[in-house]
């Protein structure tokens, strides 16, 4: 009987490997940062070879560190930064250009052109209806088009079948299998803006509008699937799970049922709710995406997704720019020293506001300041702002599904902050549960792989191993909650449409 599952977590700033035992306990982990390239204002790139080197380095490091026999590893699961785009030469394995990272804005004009082209045909809703996404440079489609158009000879090579495209999971899978497997999973495919999330096929209309040859695209499989094998020290280990980071976290949090949701408080916040077998179209500015499933051929599950741009980064801003705190964890301490924010609101619209406002010209404001405003009030207003923004997302989601969240599970770096979570529970008036495992993304990838490899039988087995976590129970009076939220929305209204 095999004993372990290895999760490879390829994130935006670092690559990590975590080894789980058959009880889903963490045996060891290794992490390696890699370079961020900013060749121009608003452009972000990674070196795909450095990403691959960092993943293999942490993989070997964790195996050595835990001193386990490679033959005892049942499977590998991959989870990754989503949307980031790599094109490479299928013969030499050399990337034709750096990876264009999800944050990169260089293709905003291509998106405008695409949108106008559909509008001119009277099909303005096509992208939304087909892919579940709001047309944006964030997703892979226009990044692929940019590389094909801007790298000398690339389009010709792609048309001749010499170039392959992949999101980061696909790139790693291809490299780890020695070029044998060119595939991705439904969750990653659903973030390319080229995938029909209903028919589960690449969409010919979008491919033709962007002039992307079909031959460069990977095959698409369920998240829990035998993708191929990687040879480590002479032993073949199956790669049996793949999912994009947020969907992996949803799975790692055991949100298997319709109505179950998780919110990750990282640099930004990502709220995902499982909506079951039906894709739920949002009327409130959320995205529809495919959830990681372990259903094999029984079809896929969908999720609604909303994100807050400035989450934990608000705390970093207090620390690094305002210098009101010296460590992120000080924010909880200062926020608790006062009974309220003294009427101060911070709207951290540093880069505009996302769902449900979608105002790229909104900018941050600090409002309600008086001569008596102290550091603690500002810190508290910053903490509260994270929770208010998540309230806006949760509200949008509840409106879309026509009912309350079943439960909200939370994780991420800023979820260590108990003040924030208590305030969040108070303001949404729902119980929230902080996961006992902070590595829910890696756990999700491990679970998907371990299920397929037979180390764990089914979802019930996963639920059985999931430790209970910590509950935060709402305890705020309705009148206070309503007054605070009214103040927040008044503050937001002052921050909108500010930038020229
Ligand atoms: P990411 O995966 O986006 O890099 P993490 O999940 O590692 O993010 O979380 C990092 C974020 O959490 C940072 O923005 C940091 O400010 C915030 N953070 C970390 N510790 C705390 C804390 N104790 N209280 C509040 N915020 C915190």
């Amino acid at each position: 009987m095999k004993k372990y599952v290895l999760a490879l977590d390829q994130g935006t700033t670092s690559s990590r490997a975590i080894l789980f035992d058959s009880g889903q306990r963490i045996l060891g982990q290794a992490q390696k940062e890699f370079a961020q390239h900013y060749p121009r204002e608003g452009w972000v790139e990674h070196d795909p070879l450095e990403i691959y080197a960092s993943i293999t380095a942490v993989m070997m490091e964790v195996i050595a560190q835990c001193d386990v026999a490679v033959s005892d590893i049942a499977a590998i699961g991959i989870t990754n930064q989503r949307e980031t785009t790599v094109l490479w030469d299928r013969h030499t394995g050399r990337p034709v250009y750096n990876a264009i990272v999800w944050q990169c804005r260089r293709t905003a004009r291509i998106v405008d052109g695409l949108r106008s082209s559909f509008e001119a045909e009277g099909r303005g809703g096509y992208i939304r209806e087909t892919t579940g996404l709001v047309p944006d440079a964030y997703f892979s489609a226009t990044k692929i088009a940019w590389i094909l158009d801007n790298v000398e000879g690339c389009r010709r090579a792609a048309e001749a079948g010499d170039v392959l495209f992949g999101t980061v999971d696909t790139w790693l899978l291809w490299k780890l299998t020695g070029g044998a497997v060119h595939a991705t999973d439904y969750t990653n495919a659903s973030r390319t803006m080229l995938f029909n999330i209903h028919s589960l096929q690449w969409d010919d209309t979008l491919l033709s509008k962007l002039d992307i040859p079909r031959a460069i695209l990977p095959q698409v499989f369920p998240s829990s699937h035998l993708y191929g094998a990687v040879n480590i020290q002479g032993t073949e280990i199956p790669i049996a799970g793949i999912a994009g980071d947020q969907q992996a976290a949803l799975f790692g949090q055991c949100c298997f049922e319709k109505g179950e949701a998780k919110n990750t408080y990282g640099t930004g916040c990502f709220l995902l709710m499982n909506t079951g077998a039906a894709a739920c179209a949002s009327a409130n500015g959320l995205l529809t995406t495919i959830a990681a499933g372990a259903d094999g051929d029984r079809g896929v599950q969908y999720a609604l997704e909303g994100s807050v741009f400035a989450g934990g980064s608000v705390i970093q801003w207090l620390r690094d720019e305002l210098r009101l705190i010296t460590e992120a964890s000080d924010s909880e301490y200062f926020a608790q020293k006062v009974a309220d924010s003294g009427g101060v609101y911070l709207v951290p619209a540093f880069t505009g506001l996302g769902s449900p406002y979608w105002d790229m010209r909104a900018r941050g404001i600090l409002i309600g300041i008086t001569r008596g405003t102290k550091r603690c009030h500002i810190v508290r207003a910053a903490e509260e702002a994270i929770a208010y923004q998540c309230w806006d997302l949760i509200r949008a989601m509840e409106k879309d599904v026509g009912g309350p969240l079943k439960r909200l599970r939370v994780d991420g770096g800023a979820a260590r902050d108990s003040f924030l979570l208590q305030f969040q529970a108070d303001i949404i008036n729902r119980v929230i549960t902080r996961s006992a495992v902070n590595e829910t993304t890696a756990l999700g990838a491990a679970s998907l792989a371990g299920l397929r490899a037979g180390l764990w039988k089914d979802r019930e087995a996963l639920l059985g191993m999931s430790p209970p976590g910590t509950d935060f129970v709402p305890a705020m009076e309705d009148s206070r909650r309503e007054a605070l939220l009214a103040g927040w929305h008044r503050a937001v209204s002052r921050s909108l449409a500010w930038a020229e």
Side-chain angles (χ1 to χ4, degrees):
M1 185 67 192
K2 307 259 184 187
K3 298 176 188 151
Y4 312 114
V5 178
L6 181 62
L8 302 179
D9 179 358
Q10 205 304 301
T12 307
T13 56
S14 73
S15 294
R16 299 191 310 148
I18 301 186
L19 191 69
F20 292 90
D21 71 8
S22 59
Q24 297 207 321
R25 288 170 293 258
I26 292 176
L27 288 189
Q29 49 186 304
Q31 178 164 7
K32 201 166 163 43
E33 288 192 10
F34 54 84
Q36 308 287 316
H37 301 282
Y38 305 104
R40 288 194 205 171
E41 174 78 31
W43 290 30
V44 191
E45 298 178 0
H46 293 155
D47 175 353
L49 291 170
E50 191 185 359
I51 287 183
Y52 175 64
S54 67
I55 271 289
T56 51
V58 291
M59 176 169 87
M60 297 320 290
E61 189 182 332
V62 80
I63 291 171
Q65 181 199 105
C66 297
D67 198 21
V68 296
V70 173
S71 56
D72 279 337
I73 300 174
I76 290 176
I78 298 176
T79 180
N80 55 289
Q81 53 166 318
R82 303 176 301 173
E83 299 106 11
T84 297
T85 298
V86 189
L87 267 69
W88 67 94
D89 181 314
R90 76 182 317 152
H91 308 293
T92 64
R94 290 206 65 80
V96 302
Y97 190 79
N98 268 344
I100 301 187
V101 179
W102 57 274
Q103 297 146 321
C104 186
R105 304 302 309 166
R106 83 182 65 187
T107 58
R109 277 221 207 105
I110 308 182
V111 175
D112 292 341
L114 186 63
R115 207 189 284 118
S116 325
S117 154
F118 276 114
E119 275 162 12
E121 293 168 6
R123 297 198 286 174
Y126 187 87
I127 296 180
R128 220 182 151 131
E129 286 151 20
T130 310
T131 67
L133 307 172
V134 176
D136 197 277
Y138 197 85
F139 306 107
S140 316
T142 56
K143 299 180 195 294
I144 302 173
W146 190 93
I147 297 178
L148 290 172
D149 285 339
N150 288 277
V151 176
E152 174 82 35
C154 186
R155 178 172 297 285
R156 217 175 320 110
E159 279 160 3
D162 295 330
V163 169
L164 299 177
F165 151 74
T167 39
V168 171
D169 55 305
T170 303
W171 163 245
L172 293 177
L173 177 66
W174 191 86
K175 291 291 283 178
L176 289 167
T177 59
V181 184
H182 183 224
T184 189
D185 85 305
Y186 289 134
T187 69
N188 277 293
S190 73
R191 312 298 296 189
T192 56
M193 212 170 83
L194 291 173
F195 195 66
N196 183 321
I197 60 169
H198 310 287
S199 67
L200 306 180
Q201 304 289 330
W202 297 112
D203 184 69
D204 284 322
T205 302
L206 282 163
L207 290 172
S208 112
K209 286 253 184 222
L210 288 166
D211 204 6
I212 297 174
R214 208 172 219 279
I216 71 171
L217 302 174
Q219 275 189 285
V220 193
F221 296 106
S223 300
S224 196
H225 172 81
L226 275 181
Y227 284 89
V230 51
N231 190 305
I232 304 178
Q233 296 164 350
T235 305
E236 298 271 310
I237 314 282
I239 297 173
I242 294 183
D245 53 10
Q246 298 308 324
Q247 283 97 332
L250 187 69
F251 199 79
Q253 286 273 26
C254 296
C255 295
F256 303 142
E257 301 294 329
K258 186 174 170 177
E260 291 181 336
K262 72 90 199 172
N263 194 15
T264 299
Y265 296 80
T267 310
C269 300
F270 286 89
L271 177 69
L272 272 80
M273 180 199 276
N274 185 327
T275 62
C280 176
S282 176
N284 296 286
L286 303 174
L287 305 178
T288 306
T289 195
I290 301 181
D295 288 342
D297 295 322
R298 277 202 285 142
V300 297
Q301 287 193 314
Y302 293 89
L304 272 175
E305 173 172 329
S307 52
V308 162
F309 301 150
S313 64
V314 180
I315 306 299
Q316 287 170 309
W317 176 71
L318 293 181
R319 184 193 61 194
D320 302 339
E321 315 307 331
L322 299 193
R323 297 178 187 262
L324 293 182
I325 55 175
T326 45
E327 282 176 49
S329 56
D330 295 344
S331 57
E332 179 174 12
Y333 169 78
F334 285 117
Q336 271 172 334
K337 280 186 42 166
V338 283
D340 53 48
S341 70
V344 175
Y345 286 91
L346 171 70
V347 183
F350 301 144
T351 53
L353 287 171
S355 174
Y357 306 103
W358 292 111
D359 183 354
M360 294 307 129
R361 290 168 57 225
R363 285 297 175 271
I365 55 166
L366 189 60
I367 200 163
I369 307 168
T370 64
R371 178 64 185 78
T373 298
K374 296 181 172 52
R375 163 167 55 179
C376 296
H377 295 123
I378 296 175
V379 173
R380 185 165 176 132
E383 292 247 326
E384 292 183 353
I386 301 174
Y388 290 134
Q389 294 181 93
C390 293
W391 183 92
D392 285 332
L393 284 186
I394 290 163
R395 197 59 215 280
M397 215 165 249
E398 293 189 335
K399 276 200 216 152
D400 278 338
V401 297
L405 293 183
K406 218 175 244 170
R407 59 171 177 169
L408 181 63
R409 304 209 130 222
V410 302
D411 53 50
R416 273 181 287 226
D417 182 339
S418 298
F419 169 81
L420 170 63
L421 297 192
Q422 183 58 50
F423 189 78
Q424 184 73 82
D426 286 341
I427 218 71
I428 63 171
N429 203 21
R430 310 252 182 281
V431 177
I432 62 183
T433 306
R434 173 166 59 202
S435 170
V437 187
N438 212 30
E439 306 302 340
T440 52
T441 305
L443 181 62
S447 295
L448 290 162
L451 279 173
R452 188 64 188 80
L455 188 64
W456 300 306
K457 187 163 159 276
D458 51 21
R459 291 171 177 184
E460 279 61 46
L462 299 179
L463 282 165
M465 285 183 290
S466 171
T470 311
D471 283 346
F472 293 82
V473 181
M476 186 181 275
E477 279 173 25
D478 291 347
S479 56
R480 173 141 189 251
R481 177 184 320 110
E482 282 155 21
L484 288 172
L485 283 167
W488 163 252
H489 289 115
R490 235 150 41 93
V492 169
S493 70
R494 305 285 167 99
S495 77
L496 299 177
W498 177 258
E500 296 293 328

